[in-house]
Amino acid sequence: MSDPIRVVLVDDHRMFRSGVKAELGDAVAVVGEAPDVDSAIKVVREVQPDVVLLDVHLPGGNGNGGSDVVTGCAGVQTPGGDPVRFLALSVSDAAEDVIAVIRAGARGYVTKTISPGDLDTAIRRVAEGDAVFSPRLAGFVLDAFGATAGEIAEVDEELDRLSQREREVMRLIARGYQYKEVAKELFISVKTVETHVSSVLRKLQLSSRHELTSWAMSRRLL
Amino acid sequence: MSDPIRVVLVDDHRMFRSGVKAELGDAVAVVGEAPDVDSAIKVVREVQPDVVLLDVHLPGGNGNGGSDVVTGCAGVQTPGGDPVRFLALSVSDAAEDVIAVIRAGARGYVTKTISPGDLDTAIRRVAEGDAVFSPRLAGFVLDAFGATAGEIAEVDEELDRLSQREREVMRLIARGYQYKEVAKELFISVKTVETHVSSVLRKLQLSSRHELTSWAMSRRLL
DNA sequence: GGGTGGCTCAGGGTCGACCCTCATGGCGGC
DNA sequence: GCCGCCATGAGGGTCGACCCTGAGCCACCC
């Protein structure tokens, strides 16, 4: 297995990161760690690892599928070099979490109950370009993707009409964040948040944040 | 600090247990581990640790407050020896989780985002009989227990402090009704609705209708 | 090069949410 | 009879939510 695989760990619990490192030992080289989305992006840019092992529920992410987490990282690929692969590591085995993550570009999804040996294997396979899923998840992952013939598409047409940024704003608003808080969270101005919210409400044909909350809940986006 | 404190770790994620051990190092002696409720009880009986550090959401527990986890362990005390203390370690910062755990007999509750140093301190304090809570949680823990004078009251005392009319208004507001709509529904003026809402928010120590919604949902009042 | 769409922001406006103070009348307890 | 709680409501204020217009920047596409 030539050189050890270079891995970046992203998880907001330092304890957990430490545990993964301890359990994996020399099997892989942990070349970076990050507790949140922003520093994750930075670290991944710097060290260009083979695999990013990341928790789905992160501060800065919305804890809700983590698509922005992964897509945020996805922009980080070096055109010339080897691609950076993402392996999601989550406590959740909910279908929507898994599908959102895969949709966002991750190559695998395993739960935190995985044994160190299996995790090692999963990391290697992802590094080689394979897709890896915990056995319990494999079934409905295949269902979801088989059913939609190629692209994910179709799943939620209304949601698809929103841009990435609009979706991020939408999720926070639906959760009860104030504009000011959303602005701080996303590092943009309150005015920009207003603009995005207006677009979201218009595109979804809703008229208030309360309806947005119901809408989001009915689609299990929260 | 004489002998190191003897700790049993209970968490279904081996990675996490390993991380805790690695981070705490020699500060405490991890004398046992368990991934689920049954083996936790067995291990605790065997080794009689000073402190049990346990995740709230465990297989075998109901993932819903974890009271059976802790009560299960609570029966394990040796009459003669030093008492075994429980420190809950959870990803959740939801009030109901915290209160259920405390109610079940735990002496502290910290979130998994805690730093190793703080966790060490928390373990020591719990071992000495103190109660320890993450700062964010301390507030409503005190509220919950101060308000109910000793035992957790059978009925919801906070809810009892609301008058009949206030409760009606509260329900509608929590459902997303606008003041105007509530007024029409109850045949009173908007100004009266405002007054009631203010009372409700003050009595429940909330600050917005969004928090009201969460509060009401957490009590299944919707 | 021009068009399109996404992301960013500003000014300025309406209206709802929430607060404080104040006032009325009824009802029950000390 | 006074006090306290409740229900009702008004006046007046601050601030957040939401809208419209307009605008600059960038990336992509034809």
Side-chain angles (χ1 to χ4, degrees):
Chain A
M1 59 178 91
S2 63
D3 295 332
I5 295 174
R6 303 171 66 249
V7 173
V8 163
L9 282 180
V10 185
D11 191 300
D12 54 332
H13 302 318
R14 173 171 165 180
M15 300 290 181
F16 190 83
R17 297 199 307 270
S18 185
V20 172
K21 276 197 294 187
E23 291 288 350
L24 289 179
D26 301 331
V28 304
V30 176
V31 293
E33 295 184 35
D36 56 50
V37 179
D38 295 327
S39 45
I41 294 176
K42 195 182 303 173
V43 170
V44 172
R45 276 215 182 95
E46 280 173 18
V47 307
Q48 289 288 320
D50 300 311
V51 174
V52 178
L53 203 58
L54 82 169
D55 188 7
V56 174
H57 301 279
L58 286 179
N62 51 20
N64 172 22
S67 20
D68 36 18
V69 173
V70 189
T71 47
C73 293
V76 159
Q77 308 282 0
T78 349
D82 287 333
V84 178
R85 263 98 184 208
F86 296 91
L87 175 57
L89 188 60
S90 172
V91 290
S92 161
D93 57 359
E96 57 268 28
D97 281 347
V98 182
I99 291 175
V101 166
I102 301 311
R103 198 173 174 176
R107 302 303 294 259
Y109 190 112
V110 295
T111 57
K112 286 187 175 178
T113 54
I114 193 172
S115 73
D118 288 346
L119 180 57
D120 179 28
T121 306
I123 291 173
R124 289 180 193 289
R125 292 192 50 195
V126 167
E128 289 165 8
D130 286 352
V132 178
F133 298 93
S134 295
R136 292 195 15 222
L137 308 178
F140 62 73
V141 169
L142 292 178
D143 286 350
F145 287 74
T148 54
E151 289 304 305
I152 313 296
E154 195 57 55
V155 176
D156 199 323
E157 229 181 87
E158 286 182 300
L159 190 57
D160 275 358
R161 292 165 56 192
L162 301 183
S163 71
Q164 190 58 38
R165 203 58 162 168
E166 286 166 351
R167 250 171 279 182
E168 296 177 45
V169 172
M170 180 269 288
R171 291 200 184 102
L172 295 176
I173 291 297
R175 283 187 164 192
Y177 279 54
Q178 294 187 324
Y179 287 10
K180 203 190 293 178
E181 296 170 331
V182 175
K184 192 187 289 179
E185 184 81 14
L186 300 180
F187 303 104
I188 56 182
S189 87
V190 171
K191 275 300 185 180
T192 305
V193 175
E194 284 190 30
T195 305
H196 288 316
V197 172
S198 288
S199 305
V200 170
L201 294 180
R202 186 166 25 79
K203 288 185 181 177
L204 301 180
Q205 301 175 52
L206 304 173
S207 61
S208 76
R209 57 183 308 145
H210 304 107
E211 295 180 14
L212 185 57
T213 301
S214 313
W215 184 88
M217 283 205 295
S218 74
R219 278 172 178 63
R220 297 189 197 79
L221 299 178
L222 302 181
Chain B
M1 54 179 94
S2 63
D3 295 333
I5 295 173
R6 302 173 65 250
V7 174
V8 163
L9 282 180
V10 184
D11 191 300
D12 55 331
H13 301 317
R14 173 171 167 181
M15 299 289 181
F16 190 82
R17 297 200 305 270
S18 184
V20 172
K21 277 197 291 188
E23 290 287 350
L24 290 179
D26 301 330
V28 304
V30 176
V31 293
E33 297 184 37
D36 56 52
V37 178
D38 295 331
S39 46
I41 293 176
K42 194 182 303 174
V43 170
V44 171
R45 275 215 183 94
E46 281 173 18
V47 306
Q48 289 289 319
D50 300 311
V51 175
V52 178
L53 203 59
L54 83 170
D55 189 6
V56 174
H57 301 280
L58 286 180
N62 52 17
N64 177 23
S67 19
D68 38 15
V69 174
V70 189
T71 46
C73 293
V76 159
Q77 306 285 356
T78 348
D82 288 334
V84 179
R85 263 97 184 210
F86 295 90
L87 176 58
L89 188 61
S90 171
V91 291
S92 160
D93 58 358
E96 57 269 28
D97 282 346
V98 181
I99 291 175
V101 166
I102 300 310
R103 197 172 173 177
R107 303 302 297 256
Y109 190 114
V110 294
T111 57
K112 285 188 174 176
T113 54
I114 194 171
S115 73
D118 288 345
L119 179 56
D120 180 28
T121 305
I123 291 173
R124 289 180 193 289
R125 293 192 50 195
V126 168
E128 289 165 9
D130 287 350
V132 179
F133 297 94
S134 295
R136 295 205 1 233
L137 308 177
F140 62 72
V141 170
L142 293 179
D143 286 350
F145 287 75
T148 54
E151 289 305 305
I152 307 283
E154 184 60 20
V155 219
D156 201 316
E157 269 218 26
E158 284 183 302
L159 191 58
D160 274 0
R161 291 162 60 190
L162 300 183
S163 71
Q164 191 57 39
R165 204 55 162 169
E166 284 166 351
R167 250 171 281 181
E168 296 177 47
V169 173
M170 181 269 288
R171 286 202 189 95
L172 296 177
I173 291 296
R175 284 188 185 176
Y177 279 55
Q178 293 187 323
Y179 288 8
K180 203 189 294 178
E181 296 169 332
V182 175
K184 191 187 291 180
E185 184 82 15
L186 300 181
F187 304 105
I188 56 182
S189 87
V190 172
K191 273 300 183 181
T192 306
V193 176
E194 283 190 29
T195 304
H196 289 317
V197 171
S198 288
S199 305
V200 170
L201 293 181
R202 187 167 24 80
K203 287 184 181 177
L204 300 181
Q205 299 177 54
L206 303 174
S207 61
S208 77
R209 57 183 308 146
H210 306 299
E211 294 180 14
L212 219 189
T213 300
S214 312
W215 184 89
M217 283 205 295
S218 74
R219 280 170 179 64
R220 297 185 194 77
L221 299 179
L222 301 182

